[in-house]
Amino acid sequence: MAVRPTHWPRALHSARQLADIALDFDCAASMPIDPAARQAMAEALTLDLGNPSSTHGKGQAGRALVEWGRGQLAEALGVAPRELVLTSGATEANALAWRGVLDPLLAAGRTPTVLTSAVEHASVRALAADYRQRGVRVVELPVDDQGQWREETLDTLVASADLAFVSLIWVHNETGVVHPVARVAHAARSRGALVHTDGTQAMGRQAIDPSMLGVDAITLSGHKFGGPPGTGALWLRPGTSLQAVQPGHQELGMRGGTENVLGIVGLGAAATTLAARLVEAPRVRRLRDRLATGLAELGGQRNAVAAPDQDSGHIAHVSFVGLDAPRLVMALDLAGLAVSAGSACASGTVEPSHVTRAMFGDGEAGRALARGAVRFSVGPHHEDRDVDRAIALTAQVVGRLRQAAAARHW
Ligand SMILES: Cc1ncc(COP(=O)(O)O)c(C=O)c1O
């Protein structure tokens, strides 16, 4: 019998109203679920599946779907299915990489060095802070004001004593900068370090060939390329085995717990769209450029401008100096446009994010750039008319907020 909270229709109604927001330019946060994933999940939902670990028929039906999903993702990446540990997303995949490498070293009494960067995703920042507290030496690669690594420090950092682990973001989630991970991978691996990259934002935007990248582990997330939220994977170089965060027999002993069968079906179906997404990438870049030009005409300062091979092409990181990004994001939302702030708003005060602080510094001018930083992210579902509408809505809202700010200063 279906058990449902009595308020379900109301919850669905309000979710529908919120989800039907006119324009979504925040697809770096979550890409709309691809029709292929939606359909595959809906069809799987009609089946009466057992636990994929059960040996009976219903269990094996669940197992078949899990392995189908894994197989689709593996095929899209050109890797073997057993190289993928399926997880609940990129956050968990990042944690598996860090904890799986570092916990056994700490247990063995070693005090390893980790190389990461000043602009990692919050999930990696949190891991770095945790391991620092536990005595691990975590060194950070700094960035310049365009969000590019300051490579002059790289050789020294890679030569750090007892370098055991490297974890560097590949395509940046706030700036869209494509970092030269492959360059570090070779040098660090030759010193015996395990090299991990967070490839979450690379899916559907970069050709993903783990052997070309030269790393040992790549983090992936389903909802960044049309799969359902709460799905993802850690690719591991053949022969690499990590200590589980959650022990159990599933996922070759590296991730215990019953598999998210429906989610994995959606992840696999979304993976079948990756090649088409890559074909669309130049069109997305053109739309992003058109958007960035329009925003610049409104007085927005474009940040993180990079050469095409160092730019994912899906993000316009723009500072509206004099405005507070969280307030701007909220006003845009009310006007029907979803974007995200490059700053976090904590307890009523606007604090620049660690990324904008790393790029712009703590000086007056840098703080103004950071405070007004907004991320617009573009996807293959957008058309020219969407971009024009986004620019027009931003023009209205920015104009209104600037007038209000000017009135406050009288
Ligand atoms: C670069 C990067 N890493 C990790 C994550 C976390 O992904 P998930 O939502 O799958 O945990 C994100 C999502 O915002 C991201 O962009």
Side-chain angles (χ1 to χ4, degrees):
M1 193 181 73
V3 180
R4 237 183 224 175
T6 50
H7 54 271
W8 168 244
R10 221 176 330 129
L12 183 65
H13 177 69
S14 56
R16 199 184 294 282
Q17 276 185 333
L18 289 171
D20 279 353
I21 181 166
L23 263 185
D24 177 4
F25 274 82
D26 197 19
C27 59
S30 209
M31 186 70 80
I33 296 191
D34 193 275
R38 213 184 278 271
Q39 190 186 342
M41 289 171 79
E43 284 178 18
L45 199 51
T46 63
L47 305 178
D48 199 3
L49 301 168
N51 186 323
S53 294
S54 299
T55 51
H56 51 63
K58 278 187 188 298
Q60 290 311 294
R63 168 64 48 208
L65 294 190
V66 168
E67 297 314 324
W68 177 82
R70 189 195 313 276
Q72 296 306 304
L73 183 57
E75 195 176 319
L77 299 174
V79 303
R82 58 182 291 118
E83 295 167 25
L84 294 170
V85 180
L86 301 177
T87 66
S88 65
T91 300
E92 186 192 330
N94 286 337
L96 175 58
W98 277 68
R99 299 202 186 284
V101 173
L102 295 176
D103 287 357
L105 294 177
L106 288 174
R110 270 182 64 185
T111 45
T113 297
V114 174
L115 170 61
T116 185
S117 83
V119 291
E120 296 299 311
H121 183 263
S123 55
V124 167
R125 296 281 294 174
L127 289 159
D130 183 32
Y131 281 98
R132 253 192 208 109
Q133 275 199 339
R134 291 164 64 186
V136 172
R137 181 168 169 260
V138 181
V139 293
E140 276 185 4
L141 186 53
V143 296
D144 64 17
D145 62 357
Q146 296 300 314
Q148 304 274 353
W149 290 344
R150 286 191 183 279
E151 291 194 37
E152 64 272 16
T153 54
L154 198 54
D155 291 344
T156 322
L157 292 176
V158 171
S160 297
D162 207 11
L163 182 70
F165 183 55
V166 174
S167 181
L168 292 166
I169 190 164
W170 182 11
V171 173
H172 200 273
N173 54 297
E174 267 187 50
T175 61
V177 168
V178 181
H179 295 290
V181 169
R183 282 204 28 220
V184 185
H186 181 70
R189 287 192 80 242
S190 66
R191 296 187 60 86
L194 189 139
V195 180
H196 161 249
T197 189
D198 182 345
T200 303
Q201 296 284 339
M203 300 291 281
R205 300 181 180 116
Q206 299 289 308
I208 298 187
D209 180 343
S211 59
M212 289 281 286
L213 208 51
V215 297
D216 300 288
I218 307 175
T219 284
L220 310 169
S221 172
H223 70 125
K224 309 294 181 170
F225 61 94
T231 61
L234 184 68
W235 170 80
L236 289 175
R237 177 188 284 271
T240 310
S241 182
L242 297 177
Q243 178 174 302
V245 176
Q246 176 57 53
H249 67 269
Q250 292 91 350
E251 301 299 307
L252 298 176
M254 284 185 267
R255 200 262 185 180
T258 303
E259 298 87 343
N260 171 10
V261 182
L262 289 173
I264 292 167
V265 165
L267 176 74
T272 66
T273 72
L274 276 169
R277 286 173 189 275
L278 213 49
V279 170
E280 284 286 283
R283 191 180 69 83
V284 170
R285 183 185 296 270
R286 186 185 61 71
L287 291 174
R288 190 283 314 268
D289 288 346
R290 182 183 170 114
L291 176 64
T293 303
L295 297 173
E297 282 166 9
L298 306 178
Q301 174 174 320
R302 171 119 183 257
N303 306 311
V305 180
D309 62 337
Q310 294 163 3
D311 168 20
S312 65
H314 74 301
I315 290 178
H317 188 273
V318 179
S319 289
F320 290 94
V321 173
L323 300 183
D324 283 336
R327 197 169 291 163
L328 176 54
V329 167
M330 221 181 296
L332 287 171
D333 183 36
L334 290 174
L337 176 62
V339 298
S340 79
S343 310
C345 187
S347 353
T349 60
V350 180
E351 277 304 316
S353 74
H354 68 278
V355 176
T356 47
R357 194 177 297 142
M359 285 165 66
F360 305 134
D362 277 330
E364 181 98 9
R367 287 186 72 82
L369 277 176
R371 236 188 339 261
V374 180
R375 176 188 71 181
F376 293 73
S377 43
V378 185
H381 52 293
H382 288 128
E383 302 286 347
D384 285 283
R385 63 173 177 276
D386 300 320
V387 169
D388 294 343
R389 179 111 186 91
I391 295 168
L393 286 170
T394 309
Q396 281 170 20
V397 170
V398 165
R400 193 155 34 81
L401 292 181
R402 283 209 174 116
Q403 267 180 5
R408 273 201 303 278
H409 284 105
W410 268 90

